[in-house]
Amino acid sequence: VSEELNQFVQRIERIQDEMDVAKEGMKEVFAELKSRGYDPKIVRKIIALKKRNPDDVEEEKALLEMYGKALGLGIFA
């Protein structure tokens, strides 16, 4: 039992190390992106949108536009 538990712990630690390396890589990519004049906040939103169901995104977009117009927000004129 202790050997099996130790193996699980070691696997988790390896995965955590890999995640740390990946996070550092992401920071570097976003820093480069920003240095090239792109807005990291917008790029993060684009990445999140790409992961979602296109129908859900379209529905949300339509509701945002409808509510924005109802509130008289100029960005939806």
Side-chain angles (χ1 to χ4, degrees), residues 23-35:
K23 286 178 186 176
E24 189 58 37
M26 291 282 286
K27 286 180 187 178
E28 290 173 9
V29 171
F30 275 101
E32 183 179 351
L33 178 102
K34 188 173 183 176
S35 74

Side-chain angles (χ1 to χ4, degrees), residues 7-61:
Q7 289 175 358
F8 280 120
V9 169
Q10 288 175 355
R11 286 172 55 196
I12 291 168
E13 289 173 335
R14 276 195 304 275
I15 292 169
Q16 286 175 330
D17 289 343
E18 292 169 5
M19 288 171 54
D20 290 342
V21 169
K23 286 178 186 176
E24 189 58 37
M26 291 282 286
K27 286 180 187 178
E28 290 173 9
V29 171
F30 275 101
E32 183 179 351
L33 178 102
K34 188 173 183 176
S35 74
R36 301 272 180 110
Y38 297 101
D39 186 330
K41 182 178 173 182
I42 299 302
V43 172
R44 288 182 194 279
K45 286 185 180 190
I46 293 294
I47 292 168
L49 285 171
K50 286 181 67 175
K51 291 180 180 180
R52 293 180 51 198
N53 179 314
D55 293 334
D56 292 343
V57 172
E58 285 302 315
E59 181 181 350
E60 182 178 310
K61 218 167 89 175

